[in-house]
Amino acid sequence: MATVTDHRLAAVAVDSTSGTILLEGRDLVPRTPGLMYDDSRAAAQADRAAVAGHDVWTKFGVTMQRSWALPRALWLVENTDIEAGSRIVHQGDHMVSRLTGQPTATDSSQALKTGLDLLTMQWPTAVFDQLGLDPSRSDEHTSELQATTSLGCRPLLEKKKNTQSPSM
């Protein structure tokens, strides 16, 4: 991409399934294989997420689905050794980050599957607290993200109070 001039490349679009997630390192390299949208290993986590966020999800007429990313994010947090600076991202977010060379913001379609409250366009932090997730937005790219998206957020889910890794 470094040798492509701007007059040859007008735009790039990325299309992906919104329920597929992976763990991405600070260097934007995957730390896990992608957990596909139809991966059923997080059934117990889906049930917990459905209960914890019932009031949020019903406000905009949805039910937490096993095919959504939030249950698999919980599964990753509970079953993966997450190094400091790593992030759980949707596959489309990962591909865009790799294309741009920096972490990029997610969109509401992707973020919905990670629990975004569509009415407030905010992460449901009370629900995440119940589930033990931390939607960290404190990395060095936060101000850039707010400038590039109406959400100003990305699905950064990390272990709460991770004592094995230095805090960010």
Side-chain angles (χ1 to χ4, degrees), residues 110-126:
Q110 304 270 8
L112 166 67
K113 303 298 176 83
T114 322
L116 180 72
D117 183 325
L118 292 177
L119 298 177
T120 66
M121 298 306 279
Q122 299 290 320
W123 295 120
T125 54

Side-chain angles (χ1 to χ4, degrees), residues 17 28 42 64-65 71 74 98 100 111 116 127 137 167:
T17 57
L28 308 180
M64 179 58 58
Q65 304 292 314
L74 285 168
R98 291 298 305 251
T100 62
L116 180 72
V127 175
R137 292 174 39 192
S167 61

Side-chain angles (χ1 to χ4, degrees), residues 11-12 15 76-77 80 83 94 97 99 101 109 112 143-144 147 151:
V12 174
D15 184 24
L76 277 174
V77 167
T80 306
E83 65 186 60
H94 173 70
S97 292
L99 286 168
S109 175
L112 166 67
S143 61
E144 292 173 28
L151 295 178

Side-chain angles (χ1 to χ4, degrees), residues 1 11-16 22 24 27-30 89-107 110 145 148-149 154-155:
M1 293 293 296
V12 174
V14 174
D15 184 24
S16 63
L22 62 121
E24 172 186 273
D27 57 1
L28 308 180
V29 174
V89 296
H90 293 269
Q91 69 175 353
D93 301 330
H94 173 70
M95 292 186 300
V96 172
S97 292
R98 291 298 305 251
L99 286 168
T100 62
Q102 62 187 2
T104 56
T106 195
D107 63 66
Q110 304 270 8
L145 295 177
T148 60
T149 179
R154 54 181 276 135

Side-chain angles (χ1 to χ4, degrees), residues 7-37:
H7 68 275
R8 289 182 53 208
L9 182 64
V12 174
V14 174
D15 184 24
S16 63
T17 57
S18 60
T20 300
I21 61 168
L22 62 121
L23 185 62
E24 172 186 273
R26 191 178 295 232
D27 57 1
L28 308 180
V29 174
R31 297 299 192 257
T32 63
L35 297 182
M36 295 293 291
Y37 68 94

